[in-house]
Amino acid sequence: MPTMPRPAKPEIPTDKSSAGRSPTGSPADNPEEAIGSPRSPGPATDAQAPPSAGRRWLMLALATVGFAVNFWAWALLSPLGPRFKDSLQLSAFQQALLVAVPVVVGSLGRIPVGALADRFGGRVMFPLVSAATIVPVLYLGLAGHSSLNQLLVGGFFLGIGGTAFAVGVPFVSAWFPPERRGLAIGVFGAGMGGTAISALTTVNLVKTHSLATPFVVTAIVLAGYAALAAFLLRDAPGRTVPPGTMTGRLAATVRLGVTWQASALYAVAFGGYVAFSVYLPTYLKSGYGLAQADAANRMAGFVLLAVVMRPVGGWLSDRLGPTRVLAVALAVVTVSAAVQSFAPPLAPLGTIAFLAIAAALGAGSGATFALVALLAPAGKVGAVTGVVGAAGGLGGFVPPLLMGSLYGAYGDYALGLALLALIAATALAFTATTVRKAVTRGAHRTPTAIDPA
């Protein structure tokens, strides 16, 4: 009996338009193709096998350390603000300007650095940013602290350290699947605790040794991290490299709804954190008569609580959704800021109000970037992060200047805190309406529909 010829096996398509999809063209069969997934659309190979959990967490740990070290450098001027105010006879506004300049430069710098991170990856950008920050750190510590103009010039370039955030978010996002990005980016965001390192060590090092000491120590740590990052950091397998020019990518980024929604929320959440972390020592010294060291230590406690709550906010966002976490956080800020506007005694009511604000701002910051990880298209996470991070930094630039001006005019901070409560309440209403609708729409779209690229 003649044997029938066996049918030939169909060829597996290898072109990029069909790879990674089911025969029907639906992306649902591939769990890696989720909202904002950074994985390349090519077929799985041995070279691009899913990375092990250990390797993911190693890369996350290295990125978090880099963020913390650069933020440590970025915040060096804040604890010394009262000292420079006395030694250089600065006004309240000049002191606020001194600590705010690195914030605004680091914030605006995140826009181009985020776009560069999309293009070149964290393996290149983390060592580069860390090495570049060494120059202003050494300048401020060794030569540039004898006049306000010198401090402002040094502070301007010190802002480079603040751009590390825009490098880390796309780097970490690419290493983790969508359902774990909220926690991962929250853990990375805990690197903002570098400001607490600065608060706890800078004044003590100056008292024990010299004004140059904290700057030299920070420069050495930056150099060590830059070398370590160049040796150990690796970009995620299959990382998406966006096409086109940086200008074109930025133009496309600002047209995304998530960019502006997350920017508005981050300006309140992280902007509030930055404002308190740079201005709280001055507030406590002027408003409650605390000594400089005591005020710096209390600010460090504020920062540490916010740092701990940031990954908690990301973790809760993975489970409950970022809009719910943001709504609760903003409600807490609204109530606590309103209470503190009446200048209650520091123990216990004032302390409770400040700690509640710290916890809420930290959780809200983590939830905001869980929102970015959920809705930002692949290949644009860095650019979106740059714009959103800039908004957060700028949100922290204005309040210290405003608080300094209000205190100089009225002798108290009540109006500034009342404005914070009003802004937080407005952000709460925005979250419950516009942002909630955007998340609902995004959950029902395919990756192709969300990603205009």
Side-chain angles (χ1 to χ4, degrees):
M1 182 174 183
T3 59
M4 298 294 292
R6 298 177 65 183
K9 293 182 179 179
E11 290 189 13
I12 298 175
T14 57
D15 63 283
K16 292 184 179 180
S17 63
S18 59
R21 294 183 178 271
S22 66
T24 61
S26 170
D29 295 333
N30 186 353
E32 288 292 335
E33 285 196 10
I35 295 175
S37 174
R39 297 293 304 273
S40 291
T45 64
D46 291 340
Q48 292 187 3
S52 66
R55 187 164 179 80
R56 284 174 175 160
W57 286 98
L58 173 62
M59 294 299 109
L60 174 58
L62 289 170
T64 304
V65 170
F67 182 27
V69 169
N70 279 278
F71 252 44
W72 175 6
W74 193 39
L76 280 171
L77 289 179
S78 176
L80 297 175
R83 177 188 179 94
F84 289 129
K85 181 179 186 295
D86 294 337
S87 64
L88 300 177
Q89 299 181 346
L90 304 179
S91 66
F93 179 81
Q94 287 174 323
Q95 180 187 354
L97 180 65
L98 171 63
V99 299
V101 163
V103 173
V104 70
V105 174
S107 302
L108 292 176
R110 291 173 187 177
I111 297 175
V113 168
L116 290 171
D118 279 337
R119 176 66 180 85
F120 296 106
R123 184 182 182 184
V124 172
M125 294 301 296
F126 255 126
L128 184 62
V129 168
S130 301
T133 306
I134 294 172
V135 177
V137 168
L138 289 178
Y139 167 77
L140 285 167
L142 301 178
H145 54 254
S146 58
S147 71
L148 177 61
N149 288 337
Q150 288 180 340
L151 288 168
L152 291 177
V153 170
F156 181 91
F157 290 100
L158 192 65
I160 295 171
T163 66
F165 179 73
V167 177
V169 170
F171 176 81
V172 171
S173 181
W175 272 103
F176 284 81
E179 66 273 12
R180 294 191 178 183
R181 284 190 195 138
L183 174 61
I185 295 175
V187 170
F188 167 75
M192 68 187 188
T195 56
I197 299 174
S198 179
L200 290 170
T201 61
T202 302
V203 174
N204 290 331
L205 285 173
V206 170
K207 286 183 176 179
T208 305
H209 300 283
S210 69
L211 184 60
T213 303
F215 295 91
V216 173
V217 169
T218 306
I220 293 172
V221 175
L222 281 166
Y225 176 76
L228 182 69
F231 182 70
L232 292 179
L233 275 185
R234 295 292 184 272
D235 290 311
R239 182 182 71 87
T240 300
V241 179
T245 64
M246 185 174 73
T247 303
R249 295 197 304 273
L250 287 174
T253 298
V254 299
R255 292 195 294 267
L256 297 172
V258 64
T259 302
W260 298 109
Q261 293 158 9
S263 293
L265 295 172
Y266 205 56
V268 178
F270 186 71
Y273 162 80
V274 171
F276 278 110
S277 68
V278 301
Y279 200 72
L280 192 56
T282 301
Y283 175 91
L284 293 173
K285 184 178 179 181
S286 302
Y288 288 95
L290 299 186
Q292 179 182 347
D294 189 12
N297 288 335
R298 289 173 185 266
M299 185 270 275
F302 180 98
V303 167
L304 287 174
L305 180 57
V307 166
V308 170
M309 288 302 298
R310 183 155 183 161
V312 172
W315 177 76
L316 289 173
S317 296
D318 286 339
R319 283 150 182 78
L320 305 176
T323 53
R324 292 180 181 177
V325 178
L326 280 163
V328 173
L330 291 167
V332 171
V333 173
T334 301
V335 174
S336 301
V339 169
Q340 189 58 35
S341 68
F342 292 97
L346 195 57
L349 191 54
T351 299
I352 293 172
F354 277 122
L355 292 179
I357 291 171
L361 293 176
S365 297
T368 302
F369 272 93
L371 180 71
V372 171
L374 181 68
L375 296 180
K380 292 188 175 69
V381 177
V384 172
T385 297
V387 177
V388 175
L394 291 175
F397 172 73
V398 176
L401 297 178
L402 181 63
M403 294 289 271
S405 299
L406 290 174
Y407 186 80
Y410 301 106
D412 63 50
Y413 298 104
L415 182 57
L417 288 160
L419 286 172
L420 172 61
L422 178 61
I423 291 170
T426 303
L428 172 58
F430 178 68
T431 300
T433 55
T434 304
V435 177
R436 182 173 176 271
K437 291 178 182 178
V439 172
T440 302
R441 288 194 304 267
H444 292 87
R445 293 179 183 176
T446 65
T448 303
I450 291 176
D451 188 349

